Amino acid sequence: MRTDGATLFGAGLLGLLALAALAGPAVTPDPELMDLAAIHAGPGPGHPLGTDELGRDTLSRLLAGGRVSLAVAAATAVLAALIGTAIGLLAGYHGGRPDAVLMRLTDGVMALPLLPLLIVLAAIDPAKLGLSPEATGSEAFAVLRIVVIIALVGWTTVARLVRAQALSLKARDHVRAAVALGAGPGRIMIRHILPNLASPVVVATTLSVGNIILIESALSFLGLGVRPPLASWGNMLTGAMNAVWSAPDQALWPGLAIFLTVLAFNLVGDGLQRAIDPKS
């Protein structure tokens, strides 16, 4: 696999961001600790990036938000890739009516306006679905909820990619030989086709992470994603919105973190695509 400077820079930047987010609890104070006497305080010895609208340490919130945003993005990308791979593999291998039905479903999801659809899904009250208030009030449920919502509409690109690859792979000699030997469809898809789909699926998943971070940040900014007191870069921007003129740095730091993370993932994804593509 060939690498280049842009890919190495993206991987290094991503590693630094992940390491900083993971090391946050050990080197910074509690991100939910409030000091109402130090609201919007400037950078200082106790607060390297200042404090927010409730006197909480901005650096602690930034690193805590990084853990949440990166976890949501990674989990969503993996879940969307699993859904898309399953649908694309079934459609590409079986063809005919299953292919037509599954691809029309994919086209229908792709045709829907993304952000309004996500807003509608995120605005659904979990209590009306029969879930208990104790379960829906936990931080884990809040993160899982946003992961499922974004994954439900984010699988279409992987599905179309996998379908196209499966159509090509099922005509290969080793797959035709397996059919001639009496292997069933499930065994052929799992043992002979799926392993050859790993490279394009990994590339597509990596490239989707940056977009997922932007979507999660937009939903959290609108108050429909990760909600306080749990920090994410999106709801940090929401908190900074009312003080954007008096304390612009409160919007600068989460915005810069989002920009750098999306840039890093896109550089890594582009590098993987160039390295795996046989035409490069």
Side-chain angles (χ1 to χ4, degrees):
M1 182 184 293
R2 188 163 53 91
T3 57
D4 52 36
T7 306
L8 292 175
F9 173 77
L13 179 59
L14 186 59
L16 286 175
L17 290 168
L19 182 62
L22 292 174
V27 298
T28 57
D30 184 355
E32 298 180 12
L33 181 63
M34 294 184 291
D35 183 1
L36 299 181
I39 293 176
H40 289 312
H47 305 289
L49 300 182
T51 60
D52 64 4
E53 72 281 358
L54 294 177
R56 297 171 295 191
D57 183 65
T58 300
L59 179 59
S60 300
R61 301 281 295 171
L62 191 68
L63 297 180
R67 291 192 294 276
V68 172
S69 295
L70 290 174
V72 167
T76 304
V78 171
L79 180 57
L82 291 175
I83 297 173
T85 299
I87 291 176
L89 185 58
L90 290 172
Y93 180 79
H94 289 289
R97 187 176 294 275
D99 181 27
V101 171
L102 291 173
M103 285 302 100
R104 296 299 76 75
L105 172 63
T106 304
D107 292 340
V109 174
M110 294 180 68
L112 295 171
L114 179 60
L115 189 56
L117 175 62
L118 288 170
I119 291 173
V120 170
L121 291 175
I124 295 175
D125 185 3
K128 295 182 179 179
L129 301 178
L131 300 175
S132 65
E134 293 78 10
T136 59
S138 65
E139 294 182 351
F141 178 83
V143 173
L144 178 62
R145 179 170 174 264
I146 198 68
V147 166
V148 172
I149 287 172
I150 300 177
L152 284 176
V153 297
W155 53 267
T156 53
T157 301
V158 174
R160 296 184 70 87
L161 175 64
V162 168
R163 172 186 176 269
Q165 292 290 326
L167 285 171
S168 174
L169 289 169
K170 76 175 185 179
R172 300 278 181 90
D173 290 340
H174 69 284
V175 175
R176 297 172 65 184
V179 174
L181 291 172
R187 181 179 177 84
I188 292 173
M189 286 188 287
I190 295 174
R191 294 292 300 273
H192 300 284
I193 295 180
L194 188 59
N196 293 289
L197 296 172
S199 295
V201 169
V202 168
V203 172
T205 302
T206 305
L207 288 172
S208 71
V209 172
N211 188 44
I212 291 169
I213 289 176
L214 292 175
I215 293 173
E216 181 275 324
S217 299
L219 290 176
S220 297
F221 178 78
L222 295 173
L224 297 171
V226 179
R227 299 178 182 178
L230 189 63
S232 79
W233 291 334
N235 62 35
M236 285 183 70
L237 287 173
T238 303
M241 183 173 58
N242 294 328
V244 68
W245 297 112
S246 59
D249 57 311
Q250 296 302 307
L252 170 65
W253 299 119
L256 182 62
I258 294 170
F259 169 75
L260 291 176
T261 306
V262 173
L263 174 65
F265 272 110
N266 285 342
L267 289 175
V268 172
D270 288 340
L272 286 174
Q273 192 171 38
R274 289 192 297 271
I276 292 173
D277 186 0
K279 297 180 182 179
S280 65

